[in-house]
């Protein structure tokens, strides 16, 4: 075990909690339904040749854009809810009609890498290339220049805020240190809006099972999953927070799961004290509050094991 470094002639920058956010129109809290349209990209990254040869696995992932997404778009339209869809560039190239249907439905399209690449061991130049490749794909297929970003696997790097700010992104939704959005320091007197997430508000942990790829084989009852998400919503509502649910069309687009999710959407949409909006709208509101940027300093480690 290594020990945190002691400051060498200066103090480590103090970390401070995110400050409360005043929501528009007198609302007490905010909420957003978001969807990561990973499709095949979620399993192709890492070992594409091996994954691509598995027809059953590819069909499991293709269920999202082919079957689950149209169902979810119908549900959102029926309840007049606008959502945010994070789309990898590869998904846009492989399923252009599905991505255009998202835009045609009046929903926000945001950036989610190109091939759902993990950034855990990616250097700055490679991360920049992934961002640019994804931007080009979304512009080519859907004619959009996204203002929002979500790192695949929520694996943001310490270079990411600056790279996003340099490309004109307004917000990111990958970090987990607050219940409300805030301005994230991007260096050089710039910042981006951060809209936090967490693993408890993600359907992957509830539903995903792919042999040798992901999951233990335990697939939860949709009623159980939605009950947990509703509990999180009600708690954040009381706290004045921002509820951000992440679903994947290849998972939550299945009939029973979509039906359970629809019940939650209907409930949240019916709460008159909650502002339900796409993440882009939430980020624009937060940017208008002129909050003081905050940072999460990188831990400095030194020394040998004790």
């Amino acid at each position: 075990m290594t020990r945190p470094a002691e400051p060498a002639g200066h103090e480590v920058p103090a970390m401070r909690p995110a400050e409360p956010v005043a929501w528009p129109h007198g609302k007490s809290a905010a909420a957003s339904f978001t969807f990561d349209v990973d499709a095949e990209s979620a399993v192709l990254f890492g070992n594409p040749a091996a994954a691509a040869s598995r027809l059953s696995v590819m069909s499991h992932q293709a269920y999202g854009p082919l079957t689950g997404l149209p169902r979810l778009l119908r549900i959102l339209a029926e309840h007049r809810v606008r959502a945010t869809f994070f789309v990898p560039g590869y998904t846009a190239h492989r399923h252009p009609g599905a991505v255009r249907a998202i835009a045609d439905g009046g929903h926000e399209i945001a950036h989610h890498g190109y091939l759902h690449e993990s950034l855990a061991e990616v250097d700055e130049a490679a991360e920049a290339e992934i961002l640019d490749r994804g931007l080009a794909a979304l512009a080519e297929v859907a004619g959009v220049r996204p203002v929002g970003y979500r790192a695949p696997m929520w694996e943001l790097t310490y270079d990411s805020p600056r790279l996003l700010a340099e490309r004109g992104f307004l917000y990111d939704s990958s970090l987990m240190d607050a219940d409300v959005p805030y301005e994230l320091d991007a260096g050089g007197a710039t910042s981006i809006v951060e809209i936090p997430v967490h693993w408890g508000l993600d359907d992957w942990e509830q539903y995903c099972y792919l042999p040798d790829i992901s999951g233990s084989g335990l697939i939860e009852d949709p009623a159980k999953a939605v009950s947990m998400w509703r509990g999180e919503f009600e708690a954040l509502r009381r706290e004045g927070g921002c509820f951000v649910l992440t679903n994947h069309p290849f998972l939550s687009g299945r009939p029973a799961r979509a039906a359970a999710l629809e019940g939650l959407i209907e409930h949240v949409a019916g709460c008159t004290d909650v502002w339900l909006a796409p993440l882009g709208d939430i980020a624009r509101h937060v940017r208008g509050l002129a909050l003081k940027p905050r940072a999460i300093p990188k831990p400095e480690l030194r020394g040998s094991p004790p």
Side-chain angles (χ1 to χ4, degrees):
M1 178 182 295
T2 55
R3 296 178 300 213
E6 296 176 1
H10 66 277
E11 294 293 327
V12 174
M15 297 176 68
R16 58 184 174 82
E19 57 192 282
V21 170
W23 299 112
H25 316 302
K27 304 291 186 179
S28 61
S32 189
F33 289 95
T34 73
F35 299 87
D36 291 1
V37 195
D38 297 344
E40 294 92 340
S41 71
V43 295
L44 286 173
F45 175 72
N47 194 347
S53 68
R54 299 176 67 176
L55 177 56
S56 291
V57 170
M58 290 298 98
S59 73
H60 182 269
Q61 299 306 113
Y63 184 93
L66 297 179
T67 306
L69 178 63
R71 178 176 291 122
L72 293 168
L73 289 175
R74 288 196 301 270
I75 289 171
L76 292 168
E78 288 170 6
H79 296 279
R80 299 182 180 180
V81 170
R82 293 172 56 235
T84 298
F85 289 79
F86 291 91
V87 181
Y90 183 82
T91 298
H93 279 150
R94 185 168 172 86
H95 302 281
V99 176
R100 293 185 188 117
I102 295 169
D104 291 344
H107 302 288
E108 177 187 11
I109 292 177
H111 195 302
H112 197 42
Y114 184 79
L115 195 62
H116 203 267
E117 300 91 344
S118 171
L119 301 178
E121 297 182 2
V122 169
D123 64 22
E124 178 183 346
E127 182 176 355
E129 193 277 333
I130 291 168
L131 285 172
D132 292 339
R133 193 178 183 195
L135 285 170
L138 295 177
E140 174 190 344
V141 172
V144 299
R145 173 79 182 194
V147 300
Y149 175 75
R150 173 174 286 165
M153 281 81 78
W154 289 333
E155 193 68 59
L156 215 62
T157 76
Y158 281 89
D159 293 318
S160 300
R162 176 176 51 80
L163 293 173
L164 293 171
E166 288 173 353
R167 285 157 178 78
F169 281 90
L170 171 63
Y171 76 88
D172 168 72
S173 184
S174 307
L175 300 183
M176 309 187 187
D177 62 325
D179 296 327
V180 291
Y182 58 88
E183 292 281 353
L184 176 63
D185 186 357
T190 63
S191 65
I192 57 173
V193 175
E194 179 61 36
I195 307 179
V197 291
H198 70 87
W199 292 109
L201 288 174
D202 188 326
D203 64 351
W204 193 291
E205 287 64 43
Q206 306 302 313
Y207 300 142
C208 190
Y209 174 64
L210 282 167
D212 308 318
I213 295 175
S214 182
S216 65
L218 173 63
I219 298 175
E220 296 288 359
D221 181 344
K224 177 263 184 185
V226 170
S227 175
M228 182 178 72
W229 298 336
R230 181 163 173 164
E232 293 282 356
F233 165 73
E234 295 296 350
L236 283 165
R237 182 183 179 189
R238 291 190 296 271
E239 292 283 338
C242 184
F243 171 84
V244 179
L245 183 65
T246 299
N247 292 124
H248 298 76
F250 77 90
L251 296 173
S252 285
R254 298 273 174 184
R257 301 169 188 175
L261 178 61
E262 181 174 14
L264 179 61
I265 291 172
E266 185 174 15
H267 172 70
V268 174
C271 294
T272 58
D273 62 318
V274 175
W275 181 37
L276 178 56
L279 293 186
D281 289 2
I282 292 173
R284 281 183 279 271
H285 170 72
V286 172
R287 174 54 50 88
L289 300 177
L291 302 174
K292 181 181 178 181
R294 51 193 297 273
I296 306 173
K298 185 176 182 179
E300 296 181 9
L301 306 176
R302 72 174 186 181
S304 58

